[in-house]
Amino acid sequence: MCRIAHQRNESKRMVMHESHIPEWDIHGVLPPIRPGEKPISSDRSPYRTSVLELCGRFGHTRERRGILRGLAELRKALRSAGLADGFQWIDGSFVEDVEANRGRAPGDIDVVTFVGLGGVERQRQLIAAHPDLFSSQRAKRRYLVDHYFVATDIAFDANQARWVSYWYSMWSHRREDGRWKGFVQLSLSDSDTPALEWLSEQDMTTGSEETSNER
């Protein structure tokens, strides 16, 4: 038991101290370029990270951890649908210090999944079989994820370039004031199991502390 507890503590320290995600800036958003890097540096948003690190960086409240579990469920559903070879851009107020900036918890998490969807008939089959993945409103209700797709198995022409530019430009700016900001990228192949275990541990710890305080 002591060894297991030690491993869990080491995992938590790893999540907190080996972060690929920079700290929020003074405006409560992720910087678009890693602090200290030159303006032309490639070390910039979207910041590639793991699901475990995403949880450790942004799962500091029970409400946020609930949203992260919804994201894990959506990722599981994508894999079950055969959509596992791709990546996701993660954004929205969830990756901002919305509690300090707006005095509220985030209500959901914004996600664009870049993945091959096949031809028209295959896409029709996917939509019919998995409607909660292809409707942003349904995904938000079921998973707490505002979810969209960009197909990666079609020709990268001017139209496709415009769609990628649309998501990048929109998510690189805060909606209310146009301030530049960064966001995060996850691989669909990354395992969610360590992250879910970490979330459960945090809820258990928080629950114990709340019970202790009530006494």
Side-chain angles (χ1 to χ4, degrees):
M1 289 294 292
C2 291
R3 184 172 64 179
I4 293 174
H6 174 73
Q7 290 173 341
R8 289 174 175 171
N9 289 335
E10 286 299 311
S11 176
K12 291 175 185 177
R13 282 195 287 269
M14 177 194 72
V15 169
M16 299 308 295
H17 297 300
E18 295 184 7
S19 177
H20 297 89
I21 307 172
E23 294 297 317
W24 286 316
D25 64 16
I26 60 173
H27 304 288
V29 298
L30 298 177
I33 304 172
R34 191 175 300 278
E37 293 292 326
K38 295 180 179 180
I40 61 172
S41 172
S42 61
D43 192 358
R44 63 200 303 132
S45 172
Y47 299 104
R48 297 182 183 182
T49 189
S50 67
V51 183
L52 178 59
E53 184 185 345
L54 181 77
C55 291
R57 179 66 174 78
F58 298 108
H60 49 273
T61 67
R62 189 173 293 275
E63 293 87 353
R64 285 175 169 271
R65 291 193 290 273
I67 293 171
L68 287 164
R69 284 193 180 85
L71 173 62
E73 286 297 314
L74 178 132
R75 287 165 57 84
K76 180 180 178 181
L78 286 168
R79 297 188 191 102
S80 297
L83 304 174
D85 186 16
F87 60 93
Q88 295 175 305
W89 283 358
I90 311 296
D91 194 44
S93 63
F94 186 86
V95 298
E96 300 176 16
D97 190 5
V98 66
E99 290 87 349
N101 286 346
R102 306 181 201 176
R104 63 166 178 83
D108 57 33
I109 188 169
D110 294 354
V111 177
V112 173
T113 296
F114 292 77
V115 70
L117 296 174
V120 174
E121 184 57 33
R122 169 62 173 156
Q123 291 183 32
R124 287 174 179 165
Q125 293 172 356
L126 285 169
I127 293 170
H130 309 279
D132 290 344
L133 294 177
F134 288 87
S135 164
S136 60
Q137 293 181 342
R138 293 182 64 148
K140 191 181 295 188
R141 287 195 299 268
R142 180 166 181 177
Y143 303 111
L144 299 178
V145 177
D146 193 6
H147 187 232
Y148 303 89
F149 282 98
V150 172
T152 59
D153 54 352
I154 61 176
F156 191 76
D157 56 13
N159 185 60
Q160 188 72 345
R162 184 174 180 81
W163 268 115
V164 175
S165 299
Y166 167 79
W167 287 114
Y168 185 85
S169 63
M170 186 172 71
W171 280 8
S172 292
H173 296 82
R174 195 161 59 183
R175 187 175 303 175
E176 59 267 28
D177 58 8
R179 180 172 298 281
W180 271 96
K181 65 185 183 71
F183 54 96
V184 179
Q185 178 173 315
L186 296 176
S187 170
L188 279 174
S189 63
D190 187 30
S191 173
D192 297 342
T193 301
L196 288 169
E197 292 175 351
W198 189 87
L199 291 169
S200 294
E201 290 173 4
Q202 294 303 298
D203 279 347
M204 289 175 62
T205 301
T206 303
S208 298
E209 291 175 352
E210 290 174 349
T211 300
S212 178
N213 291 335
E214 288 174 358
R215 291 175 181 173

